């Protein structure tokens, strides 16, 4: 811990001009950390992005405004920035969603369409509502032919932590496959979060999904399940009004500060700018998009010059399948050998307690050393495991060393993709501390001696085969793309996956 950090942290509330004024750090990293802990427009940026622009799913007008906003924020900070197009495979936006339980007992039930769900007819679709238990193989076997043409109501465990969230993801994929095989009219997942909270959970057969799939508010879904188990006959009329279309162009925002000694080498730090739209995408991931902008801004304001180029990216298309970062690795394929690192921050505003180092033991000591100037914000511990689920993914499959900030889950899970993901949920003090931690790591990688290089396709395949990467990819609907050599595209003469 540097004196600067200790001084600033000692003052609760953290960000004050006075705290920075009495510190006189000399090393670049200490100056950068001090600046990020001082008064910066970080909070104003987050407020503008969430309250003014709001939820911004890729393909929406709000998303286009967010891209323009991000571009202007970098430029206002004196940082070179541009937009880079990539192709999204399909347009999917919800205009409105509603549902009503009918039959022996009638009541309104609020729903949200799952991403890439099929629409219903304009007047809605009415079908029997059946108790699908937990949506297991046995549950579908018990329903048998009755599932054909019916809405299958699936109960879920209440979400308590991030592990539960990943279980929910994995299970939703399997439920979806069983429902399609059974010929169900659609799937109604019980919201895993109480108090009528709705969220838009990723749907994994996307965009090939041909059935309406929705999340129903927990209390209404549980009421329906109890009625069904008491022998009542119910129907569901669901109306999902969706905007759907074919491939279209979306844009990442790419900014950079050129390196002095090795400008052709790139250290990349990114956070996704897009969000889902029930809430305003504050924890996921507006807060970290604002963090990345502030990092670029403070490096620029201090006139710091890294040895290699630092590239700051606001990814787009992340929520719908990490398409922006996939587009980037394709567009920059010729440059990837000179990408020293790609880092992602995407788990809300809980404390950064270390980094996932992606199954690359050679970079662990570099991260550990990088964190020394901010040791007072620790403890930190690196987890050398490959992680699927955010914008490090395509870099990892391309063999580029990658980091994902590992964060205390804090309030991330309960608000994940939900109506409640709004500005007030962000821990602004911790976000600022996280900016300092991220800065220390990025600055170190931008200046460190590099002892690693991009992995070959064979090395990447070994990583996939020796870890749980396949299972992770499968739960995200990404395994087929890997197995078919589509994502990533096969490189040179290396052995194909
Ligand atoms: Zn995210």
């Amino acid at each position: 811990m540097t004196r600067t950090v200790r001084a600033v942290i000692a003052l609760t509330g953290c960000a004050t001009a006075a705290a920075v004024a009495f510190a006189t750090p000399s090393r670049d990293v200490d100056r950068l950390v001090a600046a990020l802990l001082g008064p910066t427009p970080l909070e104003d940026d987050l407020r503008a992005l969430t309250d003014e622009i709001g939820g911004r799913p890729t393909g929406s007008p709000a998303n286009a405004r967010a891209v323009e906003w991000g571009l202007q924020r970098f430029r206002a900070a004196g940082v070179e920035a541009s937009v880079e197009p990539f192709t999204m495979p399909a347009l999917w936006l919800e205009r409105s969603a509603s549902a009503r339980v009918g039959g022996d007992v009638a009541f309104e039930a609020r729903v949200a369409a799952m991403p890439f769900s099929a629409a219903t007819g304009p007047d809605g679709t009415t079908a029997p509502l059946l108790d699908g238990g937990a949506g297991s193989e046995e549950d579908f076997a018990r329903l048998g032919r009755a599932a054909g043409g019916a809405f299958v109501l699936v109960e879920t465990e209440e979400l308590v932590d991030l592990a539960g969230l990943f279980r929910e993801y994995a299970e939703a994929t399997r439920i979806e496959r069983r429902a399609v095989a059974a010929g169900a009219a659609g799937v109604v997942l019980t919201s895993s979060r109480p108090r009528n909270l709705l969220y838009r959970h990723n749907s994994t057969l996307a965009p090939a999904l041909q059935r309406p799939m929705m999340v129903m508010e927990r209390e209404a879904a549980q009421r329906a399940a109890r009625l069904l188990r008491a022998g009542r006959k119910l129907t569901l009329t669901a109306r999902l009004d969706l905007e759907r279309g074919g491939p279209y162009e979306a844009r990442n925002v790419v900014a950079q500060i050129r390196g002095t000694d090795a400008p052709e080498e790139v250290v990349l730090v990114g956070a996704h700018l897009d969000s889902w739209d029930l809430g305003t995408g504050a924890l996921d991931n507006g807060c970290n998009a604002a963090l990345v902008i502030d990092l670029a801004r403070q490096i620029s304001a201090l006139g710091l010059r890294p040895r290699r180029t630092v590239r700051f990216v606001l990814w787009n298309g992340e929520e719908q399948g990490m398409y922006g970062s996939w587009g980037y690795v394709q567009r920059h394929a010729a440059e990837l050998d000179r990408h020293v690192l790609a880092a992602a921050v995407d788990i809300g505003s809980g404390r950064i307690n270390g980094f996932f180092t992606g199954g690359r033991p050679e970079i662990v000591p570099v991260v550990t050393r990088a964190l020394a100037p901010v040791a007072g914000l620790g403890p930190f511990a690196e987890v050398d495991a490959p992680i699927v689920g955010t914008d490090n993914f395509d870099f990892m499959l391309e063999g580029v060393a990658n980091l994902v900030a590992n964060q205390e889950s804090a309030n991330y899970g309960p608000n994940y993709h939900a109506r409640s993901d709004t500005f007030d949920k962000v821990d602004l003090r911790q976000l600022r501390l996280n900016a300092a931690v991220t800065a220390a790591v990025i600055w170190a990688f931008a200046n460190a001696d590099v002892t690693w290089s991009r992995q070959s396709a064979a090395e990447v395949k070994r990583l996939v085969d020796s870890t749980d990467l396949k299972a992770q990819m499968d739960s995200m609907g990404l395994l087929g793309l890997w197995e078919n050599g589509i994502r990533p595209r096969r490189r040179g003469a290396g052995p194909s996956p």
Side-chain angles (χ1 to χ4, degrees), residues 326-341:
W326 188 18
Y328 177 98
V329 299
Q330 294 174 76
R331 184 185 186 91
H332 293 269
E335 243 189 325
L336 290 184
D337 284 347
R338 295 184 301 280
H339 274 55
V340 166
L341 181 80

Side-chain angles (χ1 to χ4, degrees), residues 272 274 283-285 318-319 346-347 389-390 412 416-417:
H272 68 86
D274 66 301
L283 291 170
D284 190 11
N285 191 23
E318 194 273 349
E319 294 293 6
D346 189 15
I347 317 182
T390 187
Y412 187 73
Y416 178 75
H417 292 180

Side-chain angles (χ1 to χ4, degrees), residues 330-454:
Q330 294 174 76
R331 184 185 186 91
H332 293 269
E335 243 189 325
L336 290 184
D337 284 347
R338 295 184 301 280
H339 274 55
V340 166
L341 181 80
V345 194
D346 189 15
I347 317 182
S349 60
R351 186 179 79 83
I352 294 180
N353 55 22
F355 287 81
F356 292 106
T357 48
R360 300 289 295 263
E362 62 274 34
I363 67 169
V364 175
V366 186
V367 178
T368 304
R369 274 198 304 279
L371 288 166
V374 288
L377 304 182
F380 302 108
E382 275 50 78
V383 179
D384 192 29
I387 292 295
V388 180
T390 187
D391 293 297
N392 67 309
F393 175 67
D394 285 276
F395 291 97
M396 180 163 65
L397 291 193
E398 292 283 359
V400 175
N402 60 95
L403 297 178
V404 177
N406 190 4
Q407 298 179 243
E408 288 173 1
S409 53
N411 59 353
Y412 187 73
N415 299 297
Y416 178 75
H417 292 180
R419 288 184 66 85
S420 57
D421 183 5
T422 45
F423 179 89
D424 51 290
K425 304 304 184 306
V426 175
D427 182 339
L428 296 168
R429 179 176 185 277
Q430 188 60 54
L431 177 63
R432 210 167 260 291
L433 302 181
N434 288 349
V437 170
T438 306
V441 169
I442 295 305
W443 193 254
F445 275 83
N447 294 285
D449 293 328
V450 169
T451 56
W452 62 96
S453 56
R454 185 182 175 194

